[in-house]
């Protein structure tokens, strides 16, 4: 939201790595809109991302049970695109951990789709 806020609290952690993140009280209380939903609609999430994992926002979710098969397939496709990008880029960063994080999430999505 961009509000000035600088207090870490235990219930605001990165959904990927569980590191503490700065989230204002209003966002923690009200959540933020799900990707593709009306900003004022009833479906809101309370999943936060640290600076290291902000690139997964809108594609990586801890709680997959709220998504239908089409939404899960869309997430899977977005993550597959990220894997291709990671594999094709040559950067100074070690992409091994990024690949592992994305592959694990793809596996979780596949398991959830199989359970539907």
């Amino acid at each position: 939201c961009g509000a000035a806020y600088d207090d870490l609290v235990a219930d605001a952690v990165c959904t990927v790595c569980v590191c503490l993140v700065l989230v204002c009280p209003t966002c923690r209380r009200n959540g933020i809109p799900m990707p593709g939903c009306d900003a004022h609609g009833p479906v809101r999430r309370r999943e936060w991302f640290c600076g290291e994992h902000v690139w997964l926002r809108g594609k990586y979710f801890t709680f997959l049970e709220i998504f239908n098969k089409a939404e899960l397939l869309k997430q899977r496709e977005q993550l597959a695109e990220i894997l291709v990008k990671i594999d094709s880029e040559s950067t100074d960063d070690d992409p091994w951990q990024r690949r592992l994080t994305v592959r694990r999430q793809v596996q979780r999505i596949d398991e959830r789709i199989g359970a539907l």
Side-chain angles (χ1 to χ4, degrees), residues 62-100:
T62 298
F63 304 104
L64 299 175
E65 296 78 15
I66 64 173
F67 298 103
N68 63 35
K69 185 175 181 178
E71 292 167 328
L72 291 169
L73 289 170
K74 181 179 178 183
Q75 290 173 33
R76 191 183 192 294
E77 180 181 325
Q78 291 172 325
L79 293 171
E81 290 172 7
I82 288 173
L83 280 174
V84 168
K85 186 177 178 183
I86 290 171
D87 288 338
S88 67
E89 288 181 350
S90 60
T91 64
D92 294 334
D93 296 335
D94 180 13
W96 178 84
Q97 188 64 43
R98 289 178 182 245
R99 271 195 302 273
L100 182 61

Side-chain angles (χ1 to χ4, degrees), residues 28-67:
R28 280 198 331 272
R29 182 176 53 255
N30 298 334
I32 57 176
M34 292 290 288
C37 292
D38 178 21
H40 302 291
V43 180
R44 301 181 72 76
R45 65 182 173 87
R46 289 171 180 83
E47 292 185 308
W48 319 113
F49 295 86
C50 68
E52 177 64 27
H53 295 111
V54 71
W55 55 279
L56 290 169
R57 183 177 288 141
K59 302 165 192 72
Y60 186 109
F61 299 92
T62 298
F63 304 104
L64 299 175
E65 296 78 15
I66 64 173
F67 298 103

Side-chain angles (χ1 to χ4, degrees), residues 10-24:
D11 67 342
V13 297
C14 176
T15 196
V16 180
C17 68
V18 196
C19 288
L20 292 172
V21 294
L22 292 172
V23 181
C24 78

